[in-house]
Amino acid sequence: MNRKPALGQVSDFDIRLLRLFRAVAECGGFSAAEGVLGISRSAISLQMGDLEKRLGIRLCQRGRAGFALTDEGREVLRASQTLLAALEDFRSEVNLLHRQLRGELKIGIINNLVTLPKMRITQALRALAKQGPDVRINIGMMTPNDIETGLMDGQLHAGVVPLIQPLSGLDYLPLYDERSQLYCSREHPLFSRPNDDLAEADLAAADAIAPGYRLPPQAQALQQRLKPIATASDREGIAFLILTGRYIGYLPEHFAASWVTQGLMRPLLPAVCHYDAPLALAVRKGRRANLVLERFLQELERTG
């Protein structure tokens, strides 16, 4: 006969259920968590129900109105995040004793970096996975602000961000510079005009896209010469708008390369309309010893 764990005691089964609950909460619902957890929505629902029974607390509302955490659910989520982070800290300290790579590496990355020719992050992760087959690598595509917040509150071990306004609480390892250029699509009126027939006044008169994220000073100056009438929160959103044929906007060269090769985009006045943004790997200062993270940083430096 199964018994509930006594109040204040946490079993291995409870830990598994709390990990599932955290994933559901971070994904915003059962359906969205299916791919992350690798189990069906019905299985997630059963396990969530089991956790609620074991805790004696209603954790979330689900149904036609959508998914939402209850007040008690938000408190349990905060407590479970603290507990799971403490378990990772414990595992990291044991790793240091045995010099074995086990545990989790949580990395936040801004989108559209996978097409960069310099694959430093990929190479470092490959080396880490080879040295520690039991290491769980968790990559989240996030905005720079969310990455910095995740690093400061301990939800992330490392993050790749533009090195524009360094925070005093983070250490940075420079990775590479990312060049961006001004693009239009094949359907845009400027596409058929050669660059030697274009002037900056032509670009200033065209409808443009304003990025919803921080830019280096050179990029800010270039953006101020344009006429922004649309915004996008990330580079993929900018690409969508450029491909409508109505707008011009800045994209990283490596990200736009496939569309340029297909003849779907072209750079405008590339000798003038470009900027370089430094990218860096950020980690929190004063972090606890973590063998998995330190080994990843060592491999990353080797790729430089």
Side-chain angles (χ1 to χ4, degrees):
M1 175 172 139
N2 291 331
R3 292 183 177 179
K4 291 183 181 179
L7 189 62
Q9 295 181 359
V10 181
S11 68
D12 290 342
F13 184 59
D14 293 316
I15 296 297
R16 290 197 295 272
L17 291 179
L18 288 172
R19 289 189 189 278
L20 177 137
F21 171 52
R22 181 182 67 175
V24 170
E26 290 176 349
C27 291
F30 293 5
S31 297
E34 285 182 289
V36 173
L37 295 170
I39 59 177
S40 68
R41 179 177 176 179
S42 59
I44 294 173
S45 180
L46 286 172
Q47 293 186 52
M48 281 290 294
D50 199 356
L51 178 61
E52 289 178 327
K53 289 177 184 177
R54 294 170 74 83
L55 295 177
I57 293 173
R58 180 76 168 174
L59 296 174
C60 61
Q61 305 292 342
R62 56 266 204 190
R64 293 183 179 179
F67 174 87
L69 293 177
T70 63
D71 290 341
E72 293 83 359
R74 282 189 285 271
E75 291 298 324
V76 171
L77 177 61
R78 281 193 286 269
S80 65
Q81 288 172 333
T82 301
L83 171 63
L84 295 173
L87 286 173
E88 285 301 318
D89 288 342
F90 172 78
R91 184 179 285 112
S92 296
E93 292 181 12
V94 172
N95 276 344
L96 290 174
L97 294 175
H98 293 284
R99 309 306 294 177
Q100 294 177 353
L101 291 176
R102 291 178 181 169
E104 187 176 26
L105 179 64
K106 293 177 286 187
I107 307 174
I109 300 180
I110 59 174
N111 68 342
N112 309 127
L113 291 188
V114 71
T115 51
L116 269 169
K118 297 179 180 179
M119 302 293 287
R120 292 186 63 186
I121 298 170
T122 303
Q123 292 168 12
L125 289 174
R126 181 190 301 121
L128 180 66
K130 185 176 180 180
Q131 297 173 42
D134 294 331
V135 172
R136 297 190 307 275
I137 299 172
N138 185 335
I139 293 181
M141 309 311 295
M142 308 167 70
T143 66
N145 286 343
D146 287 342
I147 292 173
E148 291 168 343
T149 300
L151 291 170
M152 296 301 291
D153 65 17
Q155 297 303 309
L156 293 174
H157 296 115
V160 180
V161 294
L163 188 53
I164 298 171
Q165 294 176 321
L167 300 182
S168 59
L170 299 178
D171 286 325
Y172 298 87
L173 171 64
L175 296 175
Y176 24 57
D177 286 341
E178 180 185 62
R179 172 156 291 197
S180 293
Q181 296 194 62
L182 184 63
Y183 292 90
C184 72
S185 78
R186 184 170 59 190
E187 287 74 24
H188 196 279
L190 296 178
F191 187 86
S192 58
R193 292 178 58 180
N195 279 315
D196 57 12
D197 185 43
L198 284 176
E200 290 192 52
D202 297 314
L203 307 183
D207 293 342
I209 307 158
Y213 47 85
R214 287 176 296 179
L215 297 171
Q218 181 189 5
Q220 293 178 26
L222 290 170
Q223 281 289 152
Q224 289 171 0
R225 302 177 191 174
L226 302 180
K227 185 182 72 174
I229 66 167
T231 60
S233 63
D234 54 36
R235 287 96 71 89
E236 188 170 353
I238 292 175
F240 267 108
L241 290 172
I242 291 174
L243 289 168
T244 67
R246 178 177 175 183
Y247 310 95
I248 62 175
Y250 281 91
L251 286 176
E253 283 182 332
H254 64 87
F255 182 45
S258 63
W259 291 298
V260 173
T261 300
Q262 298 174 66
L264 299 177
M265 283 188 192
R266 59 159 286 205
L268 300 168
L269 295 182
V272 177
C273 298
H274 70 267
Y275 66 87
D276 295 318
L279 298 177
L281 185 95
V283 294
R284 187 175 60 178
K285 288 182 178 178
R287 60 190 180 277
R288 287 196 178 193
N290 182 325
L291 185 59
V292 173
L293 175 59
E294 300 311 319
R295 190 66 57 83
F296 173 66
L297 294 176
Q298 290 171 10
E299 294 299 332
L300 197 58
E301 291 193 22
R302 286 197 185 102
T303 66

